[in-house]
Amino acid sequence: MELLTILISSLLGVVAPVGVVIDQTAENTIRSQFSTVEQLQVRVDNAPSYQLLQGKVERVLIAGRSLQLKQQDFRIAVLELETDQIEFDPSSLRQNLPKLKQPLQAGVRLVLTEQDINKLLQSPQFLKRLQELNKGDFSAFEFTETSSFTNPKVEFLPNNRFSFQVELQNEQEVIPLLIKINSGLNIVGGRQFQLVDPKVSLDGQEFPAEFLNMIISNINQQLDLRNLEGDGVQMRILKWNMKPGKLEMAAFVRLEPSSKFLETRR
């Protein structure tokens, strides 16, 4: 969701400059969210131009390649985004971040490489989330509070399958335990990610089916995009394609004016 927040901030920043909105101004606003950019094109459809003063922008289109995020050590190989009409409170322009009058809707297409995703998996933010998982799903193994996950790595396989491995380090053990997951990943109804035919092993020993089913059920619940609706975000996956070396996805996103992701950017 960090990526979504950055994109939303960029989009609303497009209409924040006083006076008029032009493509170059919009591109500079979007570009400022990234540390390096190989290629970026931004187009703002806003005819007639006086609509801006009335709090309307017809459409924003963004197309970029090799975009390195400032906030995280993460690169987006391909980004394409197209919004519906944006309506905001004209008086909120003085605050440099317009307040939406109606939901913001956009279509997004992303291509991410396996190499870039593995860099993200090594980030402190992701490792912290793994620690939270440690205290939850894996508590049945009686891992101690000093247990920690290290060296996570993912590999994309044919037919929308993936392999994920991570080491579990315990202060009482010299050699870390190796956890491996091999699974398919399907999208149900555009909103529910589900692990398909998962195989999980701990140091080469497969997890008992009873315990594995409990873990998978919990993970599938966490991967339900409807969990975001309480934060004012609706998301539907339109395309999902994992293959060796990269992941491609397309999604529809709807952001309510009351969303907490807008509040954090004001």
Side-chain angles (χ1 to χ4, degrees), residues 11-29 43-57 60 88 90 93 96 98:
L11 281 174
L12 296 181
V14 165
V15 296
V18 293
V20 296
V21 173
I22 59 175
D23 291 350
Q24 188 59 54
T25 301
E27 181 177 320
N28 291 341
T29 302
R43 193 179 87 202
V44 179
D45 292 342
N46 199 43
S49 59
Y50 63 76
Q51 282 194 125
L52 175 63
L53 300 178
Q54 298 175 344
K56 293 182 180 179
V57 173
V60 178
F88 57 94
L93 283 176
N96 292 325

PDB file of all heavy atoms in Angstrom, residues 11-29 43-57 60 88 90 93 96 98:
ATOM      1  N   LEU A  11      -0.664  12.012  -7.917  1.00  0.00           N
ATOM      2  CA  LEU A  11      -1.802  12.399  -8.746  1.00  0.00           C
ATOM      3  C   LEU A  11      -2.447  13.684  -8.242  1.00  0.00           C
ATOM      4  O   LEU A  11      -2.742  14.603  -9.016  1.00  0.00           O
ATOM      5  CB  LEU A  11      -2.848  11.280  -8.753  1.00  0.00           C
ATOM      6  CG  LEU A  11      -2.569  10.088  -9.664  1.00  0.00           C
ATOM      7  CD1 LEU A  11      -3.619   9.017  -9.446  1.00  0.00           C
ATOM      8  CD2 LEU A  11      -2.561  10.525 -11.117  1.00  0.00           C
ATOM      9  N   LEU A  12      -2.680  13.754  -6.936  1.00  0.00           N
ATOM     10  CA  LEU A  12      -3.312  14.948  -6.388  1.00  0.00           C
ATOM     11  C   LEU A  12      -2.364  16.145  -6.435  1.00  0.00           C
ATOM     12  O   LEU A  12      -2.804  17.286  -6.538  1.00  0.00           O
ATOM     13  CB  LEU A  12      -3.775  14.683  -4.953  1.00  0.00           C
ATOM     14  CG  LEU A  12      -4.872  13.610  -4.829  1.00  0.00           C
ATOM     15  CD1 LEU A  12      -5.275  13.432  -3.388  1.00  0.00           C
ATOM     16  CD2 LEU A  12      -6.075  13.976  -5.684  1.00  0.00           C
ATOM     17  N   GLY A  13      -1.079  15.875  -6.374  1.00  0.00           N
ATOM     18  CA  GLY A  13      -0.115  16.958  -6.504  1.00  0.00           C
ATOM     19  C   GLY A  13      -0.137  17.605  -7.872  1.00  0.00           C
ATOM     20  O   GLY A  13       0.266  18.753  -8.045  1.00  0.00           O
ATOM     21  N   VAL A  14      -0.615  16.863  -8.864  1.00  0.00           N
ATOM     22  CA  VAL A  14      -0.705  17.393 -10.223  1.00  0.00           C
ATOM     23  C   VAL A  14      -1.606  18.616 -10.283  1.00  0.00           C
ATOM     24  O   VAL A  14      -1.370  19.555 -11.045  1.00  0.00           O
ATOM     25  CB  VAL A  14      -1.235  16.298 -11.179  1.00  0.00           C
ATOM     26  CG1 VAL A  14      -1.695  16.886 -12.494  1.00  0.00           C
ATOM     27  CG2 VAL A  14      -0.142  15.261 -11.420  1.00  0.00           C
ATOM     28  N   VAL A  15      -2.668  18.637  -9.480  1.00  0.00           N
ATOM     29  CA  VAL A  15      -3.606  19.757  -9.536  1.00  0.00           C
ATOM     30  C   VAL A  15      -3.355  20.771  -8.432  1.00  0.00           C
ATOM     31  O   VAL A  15      -4.114  21.714  -8.268  1.00  0.00           O
ATOM     32  CB  VAL A  15      -5.068  19.247  -9.456  1.00  0.00           C
ATOM     33  CG1 VAL A  15      -5.389  18.390 -10.652  1.00  0.00           C
ATOM     34  CG2 VAL A  15      -5.310  18.476  -8.169  1.00  0.00           C
ATOM     35  N   ALA A  16      -2.292  20.605  -7.672  1.00  0.00           N
ATOM     36  CA  ALA A  16      -2.024  21.519  -6.568  1.00  0.00           C
ATOM     37  C   ALA A  16      -1.408  22.851  -6.998  1.00  0.00           C
ATOM     38  O   ALA A  16      -1.679  23.867  -6.370  1.00  0.00           O
ATOM     39  CB  ALA A  16      -1.112  20.845  -5.542  1.00  0.00           C
ATOM     40  N   PRO A  17      -0.544  22.911  -8.045  1.00  0.00           N
ATOM     41  CA  PRO A  17       0.052  24.194  -8.396  1.00  0.00           C
ATOM     42  C   PRO A  17      -1.011  25.238  -8.714  1.00  0.00           C
ATOM     43  O   PRO A  17      -2.044  24.919  -9.305  1.00  0.00           O
ATOM     44  CB  PRO A  17       0.882  23.859  -9.643  1.00  0.00           C
ATOM     45  CG  PRO A  17       1.162  22.405  -9.532  1.00  0.00           C
ATOM     46  CD  PRO A  17      -0.064  21.818  -8.902  1.00  0.00           C
ATOM     47  N   VAL A  18      -0.742  26.462  -8.309  1.00  0.00           N
ATOM     48  CA  VAL A  18      -1.713  27.526  -8.561  1.00  0.00           C
ATOM     49  C   VAL A  18      -1.776  27.815 -10.051  1.00  0.00           C
ATOM     50  O   VAL A  18      -0.801  27.655 -10.776  1.00  0.00           O
ATOM     51  CB  VAL A  18      -1.310  28.819  -7.803  1.00  0.00           C
ATOM     52  CG1 VAL A  18      -1.422  28.595  -6.324  1.00  0.00           C
ATOM     53  CG2 VAL A  18       0.097  29.264  -8.185  1.00  0.00           C
ATOM     54  N   GLY A  19      -2.950  28.212 -10.503  1.00  0.00           N
ATOM     55  CA  GLY A  19      -3.079  28.646 -11.883  1.00  0.00           C
ATOM     56  C   GLY A  19      -3.494  27.520 -12.789  1.00  0.00           C
ATOM     57  O   GLY A  19      -4.640  27.125 -12.807  1.00  0.00           O
ATOM     58  N   VAL A  20      -2.574  26.995 -13.572  1.00  0.00           N
ATOM     59  CA  VAL A  20      -2.933  26.024 -14.600  1.00  0.00           C
ATOM     60  C   VAL A  20      -2.178  24.730 -14.389  1.00  0.00           C
ATOM     61  O   VAL A  20      -1.185  24.665 -13.684  1.00  0.00           O
ATOM     62  CB  VAL A  20      -2.617  26.573 -16.010  1.00  0.00           C
ATOM     63  CG1 VAL A  20      -3.455  27.781 -16.317  1.00  0.00           C
ATOM     64  CG2 VAL A  20      -1.132  26.901 -16.125  1.00  0.00           C
ATOM     65  N   VAL A  21      -2.678  23.689 -15.013  1.00  0.00           N
ATOM     66  CA  VAL A  21      -2.004  22.407 -15.019  1.00  0.00           C
ATOM     67  C   VAL A  21      -1.537  22.127 -16.437  1.00  0.00           C
ATOM     68  O   VAL A  21      -2.319  22.161 -17.368  1.00  0.00           O
ATOM     69  CB  VAL A  21      -2.959  21.283 -14.564  1.00  0.00           C
ATOM     70  CG1 VAL A  21      -2.294  19.923 -14.729  1.00  0.00           C
ATOM     71  CG2 VAL A  21      -3.365  21.493 -13.127  1.00  0.00           C
ATOM     72  N   ILE A  22      -0.269  21.868 -16.618  1.00  0.00           N
ATOM     73  CA  ILE A  22       0.265  21.507 -17.917  1.00  0.00           C
ATOM     74  C   ILE A  22       1.020  20.200 -17.769  1.00  0.00           C
ATOM     75  O   ILE A  22       1.416  19.805 -16.681  1.00  0.00           O
ATOM     76  CB  ILE A  22       1.189  22.605 -18.481  1.00  0.00           C
ATOM     77  CG1 ILE A  22       2.350  22.862 -17.515  1.00  0.00           C
ATOM     78  CG2 ILE A  22       0.420  23.883 -18.757  1.00  0.00           C
ATOM     79  CD1 ILE A  22       3.375  23.851 -18.043  1.00  0.00           C
ATOM     80  N   ASP A  23       1.238  19.530 -18.898  1.00  0.00           N
ATOM     81  CA  ASP A  23       1.852  18.208 -18.845  1.00  0.00           C
ATOM     82  C   ASP A  23       3.220  18.234 -18.187  1.00  0.00           C
ATOM     83  O   ASP A  23       3.561  17.336 -17.403  1.00  0.00           O
ATOM     84  CB  ASP A  23       1.958  17.630 -20.262  1.00  0.00           C
ATOM     85  CG  ASP A  23       0.601  17.285 -20.854  1.00  0.00           C
ATOM     86  OD1 ASP A  23      -0.382  17.308 -20.098  1.00  0.00           O
ATOM     87  OD2 ASP A  23       0.533  16.974 -22.056  1.00  0.00           O
ATOM     88  N   GLN A  24       4.027  19.241 -18.469  1.00  0.00           N
ATOM     89  CA  GLN A  24       5.374  19.283 -17.917  1.00  0.00           C
ATOM     90  C   GLN A  24       5.353  19.471 -16.402  1.00  0.00           C
ATOM     91  O   GLN A  24       6.115  18.846 -15.664  1.00  0.00           O
ATOM     92  CB  GLN A  24       6.195  20.396 -18.573  1.00  0.00           C
ATOM     93  CG  GLN A  24       7.671  20.375 -18.181  1.00  0.00           C
ATOM     94  CD  GLN A  24       8.338  19.059 -18.556  1.00  0.00           C
ATOM     95  OE1 GLN A  24       8.288  18.621 -19.691  1.00  0.00           O
ATOM     96  NE2 GLN A  24       8.967  18.414 -17.575  1.00  0.00           N
ATOM     97  N   THR A  25       4.438  20.334 -15.938  1.00  0.00           N
ATOM     98  CA  THR A  25       4.299  20.533 -14.495  1.00  0.00           C
ATOM     99  C   THR A  25       3.882  19.232 -13.820  1.00  0.00           C
ATOM    100  O   THR A  25       4.406  18.842 -12.766  1.00  0.00           O
ATOM    101  CB  THR A  25       3.252  21.621 -14.202  1.00  0.00           C
ATOM    102  OG1 THR A  25       3.659  22.840 -14.817  1.00  0.00           O
ATOM    103  CG2 THR A  25       3.104  21.842 -12.713  1.00  0.00           C
ATOM    104  N   ALA A  26       2.935  18.542 -14.454  1.00  0.00           N
ATOM    105  CA  ALA A  26       2.472  17.269 -13.907  1.00  0.00           C
ATOM    106  C   ALA A  26       3.592  16.239 -13.895  1.00  0.00           C
ATOM    107  O   ALA A  26       3.773  15.502 -12.918  1.00  0.00           O
ATOM    108  CB  ALA A  26       1.293  16.758 -14.729  1.00  0.00           C
ATOM    109  N   GLU A  27       4.356  16.180 -14.976  1.00  0.00           N
ATOM    110  CA  GLU A  27       5.459  15.218 -15.036  1.00  0.00           C
ATOM    111  C   GLU A  27       6.497  15.493 -13.961  1.00  0.00           C
ATOM    112  O   GLU A  27       7.015  14.568 -13.317  1.00  0.00           O
ATOM    113  CB  GLU A  27       6.115  15.260 -16.419  1.00  0.00           C
ATOM    114  CG  GLU A  27       7.251  14.266 -16.569  1.00  0.00           C
ATOM    115  CD  GLU A  27       7.844  14.251 -17.966  1.00  0.00           C
ATOM    116  OE1 GLU A  27       7.068  14.348 -18.938  1.00  0.00           O
ATOM    117  OE2 GLU A  27       9.084  14.150 -18.086  1.00  0.00           O
ATOM    118  N   ASN A  28       6.802  16.762 -13.734  1.00  0.00           N
ATOM    119  CA  ASN A  28       7.773  17.109 -12.690  1.00  0.00           C
ATOM    120  C   ASN A  28       7.270  16.695 -11.305  1.00  0.00           C
ATOM    121  O   ASN A  28       8.049  16.260 -10.453  1.00  0.00           O
ATOM    122  CB  ASN A  28       8.058  18.610 -12.716  1.00  0.00           C
ATOM    123  CG  ASN A  28       8.832  19.026 -13.956  1.00  0.00           C
ATOM    124  OD1 ASN A  28       9.463  18.200 -14.620  1.00  0.00           O
ATOM    125  ND2 ASN A  28       8.766  20.305 -14.289  1.00  0.00           N
ATOM    126  N   THR A  29       5.951  16.842 -11.100  1.00  0.00           N
ATOM    127  CA  THR A  29       5.362  16.462  -9.819  1.00  0.00           C
ATOM    128  C   THR A  29       5.477  14.959  -9.595  1.00  0.00           C
ATOM    129  O   THR A  29       5.847  14.498  -8.504  1.00  0.00           O
ATOM    130  CB  THR A  29       3.886  16.884  -9.767  1.00  0.00           C
ATOM    131  OG1 THR A  29       3.792  18.290  -9.962  1.00  0.00           O
ATOM    132  CG2 THR A  29       3.255  16.510  -8.439  1.00  0.00           C
ATOM    133  N   ARG A  43       0.407  12.869 -19.120  1.00  0.00           N
ATOM    134  CA  ARG A  43      -0.516  13.708 -19.890  1.00  0.00           C
ATOM    135  C   ARG A  43      -1.735  14.018 -19.034  1.00  0.00           C
ATOM    136  O   ARG A  43      -2.293  13.129 -18.383  1.00  0.00           O
ATOM    137  CB  ARG A  43      -0.963  13.002 -21.169  1.00  0.00           C
ATOM    138  CG  ARG A  43      -1.671  13.953 -22.148  1.00  0.00           C
ATOM    139  CD  ARG A  43      -2.079  13.234 -23.411  1.00  0.00           C
ATOM    140  NE  ARG A  43      -3.395  12.610 -23.277  1.00  0.00           N
ATOM    141  CZ  ARG A  43      -3.817  11.601 -24.023  1.00  0.00           C
ATOM    142  NH1 ARG A  43      -3.024  11.072 -24.931  1.00  0.00           N
ATOM    143  NH2 ARG A  43      -5.034  11.101 -23.851  1.00  0.00           N
ATOM    144  N   VAL A  44      -2.115  15.278 -19.029  1.00  0.00           N
ATOM    145  CA  VAL A  44      -3.294  15.720 -18.285  1.00  0.00           C
ATOM    146  C   VAL A  44      -4.324  16.227 -19.281  1.00  0.00           C
ATOM    147  O   VAL A  44      -4.076  17.177 -20.018  1.00  0.00           O
ATOM    148  CB  VAL A  44      -2.934  16.843 -17.282  1.00  0.00           C
ATOM    149  CG1 VAL A  44      -4.175  17.295 -16.530  1.00  0.00           C
ATOM    150  CG2 VAL A  44      -1.859  16.367 -16.320  1.00  0.00           C
ATOM    151  N   ASP A  45      -5.477  15.560 -19.347  1.00  0.00           N
ATOM    152  CA  ASP A  45      -6.582  16.011 -20.193  1.00  0.00           C
ATOM    153  C   ASP A  45      -7.470  16.907 -19.344  1.00  0.00           C
ATOM    154  O   ASP A  45      -8.076  16.442 -18.366  1.00  0.00           O
ATOM    155  CB  ASP A  45      -7.387  14.819 -20.718  1.00  0.00           C
ATOM    156  CG  ASP A  45      -6.579  13.986 -21.702  1.00  0.00           C
ATOM    157  OD1 ASP A  45      -5.575  14.504 -22.229  1.00  0.00           O
ATOM    158  OD2 ASP A  45      -6.947  12.822 -21.940  1.00  0.00           O
ATOM    159  N   ASN A  46      -7.552  18.183 -19.730  1.00  0.00           N
ATOM    160  CA  ASN A  46      -8.277  19.135 -18.902  1.00  0.00           C
ATOM    161  C   ASN A  46      -8.878  20.238 -19.768  1.00  0.00           C
ATOM    162  O   ASN A  46      -8.621  21.412 -19.573  1.00  0.00           O
ATOM    163  CB  ASN A  46      -7.344  19.745 -17.853  1.00  0.00           C
ATOM    164  CG  ASN A  46      -8.128  20.354 -16.704  1.00  0.00           C
ATOM    165  OD1 ASN A  46      -9.088  19.756 -16.232  1.00  0.00           O
ATOM    166  ND2 ASN A  46      -7.736  21.534 -16.266  1.00  0.00           N
ATOM    167  N   ALA A  47      -9.664  19.810 -20.757  1.00  0.00           N
ATOM    168  CA  ALA A  47     -10.287  20.783 -21.650  1.00  0.00           C
ATOM    169  C   ALA A  47     -11.780  20.876 -21.319  1.00  0.00           C
ATOM    170  O   ALA A  47     -12.462  19.849 -21.188  1.00  0.00           O
ATOM    171  CB  ALA A  47     -10.095  20.365 -23.098  1.00  0.00           C
ATOM    172  N   PRO A  48     -12.332  22.085 -21.189  1.00  0.00           N
ATOM    173  CA  PRO A  48     -11.609  23.370 -21.228  1.00  0.00           C
ATOM    174  C   PRO A  48     -10.791  23.598 -19.964  1.00  0.00           C
ATOM    175  O   PRO A  48     -11.111  23.064 -18.910  1.00  0.00           O
ATOM    176  CB  PRO A  48     -12.731  24.399 -21.349  1.00  0.00           C
ATOM    177  CG  PRO A  48     -13.919  23.722 -20.717  1.00  0.00           C
ATOM    178  CD  PRO A  48     -13.783  22.264 -21.005  1.00  0.00           C
ATOM    179  N   SER A  49      -9.735  24.409 -20.081  1.00  0.00           N
ATOM    180  CA  SER A  49      -8.771  24.565 -18.995  1.00  0.00           C
ATOM    181  C   SER A  49      -9.365  25.204 -17.750  1.00  0.00           C
ATOM    182  O   SER A  49      -8.860  24.991 -16.637  1.00  0.00           O
ATOM    183  CB  SER A  49      -7.573  25.394 -19.470  1.00  0.00           C
ATOM    184  OG  SER A  49      -8.004  26.666 -19.921  1.00  0.00           O
ATOM    185  N   TYR A  50     -10.449  25.975 -17.881  1.00  0.00           N
ATOM    186  CA  TYR A  50     -11.016  26.643 -16.705  1.00  0.00           C
ATOM    187  C   TYR A  50     -11.638  25.643 -15.728  1.00  0.00           C
ATOM    188  O   TYR A  50     -11.996  26.001 -14.606  1.00  0.00           O
ATOM    189  CB  TYR A  50     -12.055  27.696 -17.118  1.00  0.00           C
ATOM    190  CG  TYR A  50     -13.273  27.163 -17.836  1.00  0.00           C
ATOM    191  CD1 TYR A  50     -14.291  26.503 -17.140  1.00  0.00           C
ATOM    192  CD2 TYR A  50     -13.423  27.336 -19.211  1.00  0.00           C
ATOM    193  CE1 TYR A  50     -15.409  26.032 -17.792  1.00  0.00           C
ATOM    194  CE2 TYR A  50     -14.536  26.854 -19.876  1.00  0.00           C
ATOM    195  CZ  TYR A  50     -15.520  26.198 -19.163  1.00  0.00           C
ATOM    196  OH  TYR A  50     -16.618  25.708 -19.816  1.00  0.00           O
ATOM    197  N   GLN A  51     -11.758  24.366 -16.158  1.00  0.00           N
ATOM    198  CA  GLN A  51     -12.320  23.364 -15.256  1.00  0.00           C
ATOM    199  C   GLN A  51     -11.503  23.217 -13.970  1.00  0.00           C
ATOM    200  O   GLN A  51     -12.037  22.863 -12.920  1.00  0.00           O
ATOM    201  CB  GLN A  51     -12.401  21.992 -15.946  1.00  0.00           C
ATOM    202  CG  GLN A  51     -13.573  21.857 -16.898  1.00  0.00           C
ATOM    203  CD  GLN A  51     -13.800  20.409 -17.278  1.00  0.00           C
ATOM    204  OE1 GLN A  51     -14.888  19.881 -17.119  1.00  0.00           O
ATOM    205  NE2 GLN A  51     -12.764  19.749 -17.788  1.00  0.00           N
ATOM    206  N   LEU A  52     -10.208  23.500 -14.081  1.00  0.00           N
ATOM    207  CA  LEU A  52      -9.360  23.388 -12.896  1.00  0.00           C
ATOM    208  C   LEU A  52      -9.846  24.318 -11.794  1.00  0.00           C
ATOM    209  O   LEU A  52      -9.886  23.946 -10.625  1.00  0.00           O
ATOM    210  CB  LEU A  52      -7.906  23.705 -13.250  1.00  0.00           C
ATOM    211  CG  LEU A  52      -6.941  23.726 -12.058  1.00  0.00           C
ATOM    212  CD1 LEU A  52      -6.849  22.360 -11.407  1.00  0.00           C
ATOM    213  CD2 LEU A  52      -5.572  24.216 -12.482  1.00  0.00           C
ATOM    214  N   LEU A  53     -10.221  25.524 -12.159  1.00  0.00           N
ATOM    215  CA  LEU A  53     -10.705  26.475 -11.174  1.00  0.00           C
ATOM    216  C   LEU A  53     -12.026  26.041 -10.564  1.00  0.00           C
ATOM    217  O   LEU A  53     -12.407  26.490  -9.488  1.00  0.00           O
ATOM    218  CB  LEU A  53     -10.847  27.858 -11.822  1.00  0.00           C
ATOM    219  CG  LEU A  53      -9.557  28.454 -12.404  1.00  0.00           C
ATOM    220  CD1 LEU A  53      -9.829  29.799 -13.054  1.00  0.00           C
ATOM    221  CD2 LEU A  53      -8.505  28.596 -11.305  1.00  0.00           C
ATOM    222  N   GLN A  54     -12.720  25.136 -11.261  1.00  0.00           N
ATOM    223  CA  GLN A  54     -13.976  24.602 -10.748  1.00  0.00           C
ATOM    224  C   GLN A  54     -13.760  23.303  -9.973  1.00  0.00           C
ATOM    225  O   GLN A  54     -14.706  22.704  -9.471  1.00  0.00           O
ATOM    226  CB  GLN A  54     -14.946  24.351 -11.909  1.00  0.00           C
ATOM    227  CG  GLN A  54     -15.310  25.608 -12.668  1.00  0.00           C
ATOM    228  CD  GLN A  54     -16.178  25.306 -13.882  1.00  0.00           C
ATOM    229  OE1 GLN A  54     -16.280  24.160 -14.329  1.00  0.00           O
ATOM    230  NE2 GLN A  54     -16.829  26.337 -14.419  1.00  0.00           N
ATOM    231  N   GLY A  55     -12.509  22.874  -9.916  1.00  0.00           N
ATOM    232  CA  GLY A  55     -12.193  21.663  -9.159  1.00  0.00           C
ATOM    233  C   GLY A  55     -12.338  20.381  -9.948  1.00  0.00           C
ATOM    234  O   GLY A  55     -12.720  19.350  -9.379  1.00  0.00           O
ATOM    235  N   LYS A  56     -12.014  20.425 -11.241  1.00  0.00           N
ATOM    236  CA  LYS A  56     -12.148  19.225 -12.058  1.00  0.00           C
ATOM    237  C   LYS A  56     -10.922  19.029 -12.956  1.00  0.00           C
ATOM    238  O   LYS A  56     -10.367  19.999 -13.487  1.00  0.00           O
ATOM    239  CB  LYS A  56     -13.390  19.302 -12.956  1.00  0.00           C
ATOM    240  CG  LYS A  56     -14.710  19.276 -12.209  1.00  0.00           C
ATOM    241  CD  LYS A  56     -15.874  19.314 -13.177  1.00  0.00           C
ATOM    242  CE  LYS A  56     -17.214  19.298 -12.439  1.00  0.00           C
ATOM    243  NZ  LYS A  56     -18.361  19.356 -13.393  1.00  0.00           N
ATOM    244  N   VAL A  57     -10.516  17.773 -13.090  1.00  0.00           N
ATOM    245  CA  VAL A  57      -9.513  17.369 -14.075  1.00  0.00           C
ATOM    246  C   VAL A  57     -10.090  16.156 -14.790  1.00  0.00           C
ATOM    247  O   VAL A  57     -10.516  15.193 -14.144  1.00  0.00           O
ATOM    248  CB  VAL A  57      -8.166  17.006 -13.418  1.00  0.00           C
ATOM    249  CG1 VAL A  57      -7.210  16.418 -14.442  1.00  0.00           C
ATOM    250  CG2 VAL A  57      -7.552  18.235 -12.772  1.00  0.00           C
ATOM    251  N   VAL A  60      -5.886  11.857 -16.009  1.00  0.00           N
ATOM    252  CA  VAL A  60      -4.424  11.885 -15.925  1.00  0.00           C
ATOM    253  C   VAL A  60      -3.902  10.536 -16.389  1.00  0.00           C
ATOM    254  O   VAL A  60      -4.385   9.489 -15.953  1.00  0.00           O
ATOM    255  CB  VAL A  60      -3.931  12.171 -14.490  1.00  0.00           C
ATOM    256  CG1 VAL A  60      -2.403  12.144 -14.436  1.00  0.00           C
ATOM    257  CG2 VAL A  60      -4.459  13.510 -13.988  1.00  0.00           C
ATOM    258  N   PHE A  88     -12.368  17.795  -7.042  1.00  0.00           N
ATOM    259  CA  PHE A  88     -11.856  18.192  -5.735  1.00  0.00           C
ATOM    260  C   PHE A  88     -12.402  19.553  -5.349  1.00  0.00           C
ATOM    261  O   PHE A  88     -12.963  20.288  -6.185  1.00  0.00           O
ATOM    262  CB  PHE A  88     -10.319  18.220  -5.747  1.00  0.00           C
ATOM    263  CG  PHE A  88      -9.746  19.128  -6.807  1.00  0.00           C
ATOM    264  CD1 PHE A  88      -9.410  20.436  -6.511  1.00  0.00           C
ATOM    265  CD2 PHE A  88      -9.554  18.669  -8.108  1.00  0.00           C
ATOM    266  CE1 PHE A  88      -8.909  21.277  -7.483  1.00  0.00           C
ATOM    267  CE2 PHE A  88      -9.047  19.505  -9.082  1.00  0.00           C
ATOM    268  CZ  PHE A  88      -8.718  20.810  -8.774  1.00  0.00           C
ATOM    269  N   PRO A  90     -12.069  23.202  -4.880  1.00  0.00           N
ATOM    270  CA  PRO A  90     -11.127  24.210  -5.392  1.00  0.00           C
ATOM    271  C   PRO A  90     -10.445  25.008  -4.277  1.00  0.00           C
ATOM    272  O   PRO A  90      -9.272  25.369  -4.406  1.00  0.00           O
ATOM    273  CB  PRO A  90     -11.998  25.123  -6.260  1.00  0.00           C
ATOM    274  CG  PRO A  90     -13.198  24.302  -6.598  1.00  0.00           C
ATOM    275  CD  PRO A  90     -13.419  23.401  -5.415  1.00  0.00           C
ATOM    276  N   LEU A  93      -6.945  23.971  -2.801  1.00  0.00           N
ATOM    277  CA  LEU A  93      -5.685  24.152  -3.524  1.00  0.00           C
ATOM    278  C   LEU A  93      -4.667  24.915  -2.689  1.00  0.00           C
ATOM    279  O   LEU A  93      -3.462  24.716  -2.828  1.00  0.00           O
ATOM    280  CB  LEU A  93      -5.939  24.913  -4.836  1.00  0.00           C
ATOM    281  CG  LEU A  93      -6.553  24.124  -5.993  1.00  0.00           C
ATOM    282  CD1 LEU A  93      -6.832  25.045  -7.167  1.00  0.00           C
ATOM    283  CD2 LEU A  93      -5.656  22.987  -6.424  1.00  0.00           C
ATOM    284  N   ASN A  96      -2.120  22.867  -0.905  1.00  0.00           N
ATOM    285  CA  ASN A  96      -1.184  22.119  -1.740  1.00  0.00           C
ATOM    286  C   ASN A  96      -1.534  20.642  -1.891  1.00  0.00           C
ATOM    287  O   ASN A  96      -0.752  19.872  -2.443  1.00  0.00           O
ATOM    288  CB  ASN A  96       0.249  22.239  -1.205  1.00  0.00           C
ATOM    289  CG  ASN A  96       0.779  23.648  -1.350  1.00  0.00           C
ATOM    290  OD1 ASN A  96       0.464  24.343  -2.315  1.00  0.00           O
ATOM    291  ND2 ASN A  96       1.556  24.074  -0.383  1.00  0.00           N
ATOM    292  N   PRO A  98      -5.275  18.836  -2.869  1.00  0.00           N
ATOM    293  CA  PRO A  98      -6.722  18.964  -3.013  1.00  0.00           C
ATOM    294  C   PRO A  98      -7.493  17.921  -2.227  1.00  0.00           C
ATOM    295  O   PRO A  98      -7.049  16.789  -2.074  1.00  0.00           O
ATOM    296  CB  PRO A  98      -6.940  18.770  -4.521  1.00  0.00           C
ATOM    297  CG  PRO A  98      -5.645  19.154  -5.132  1.00  0.00           C
ATOM    298  CD  PRO A  98      -4.602  18.712  -4.167  1.00  0.00           C
TER     299      PRO A  98
END
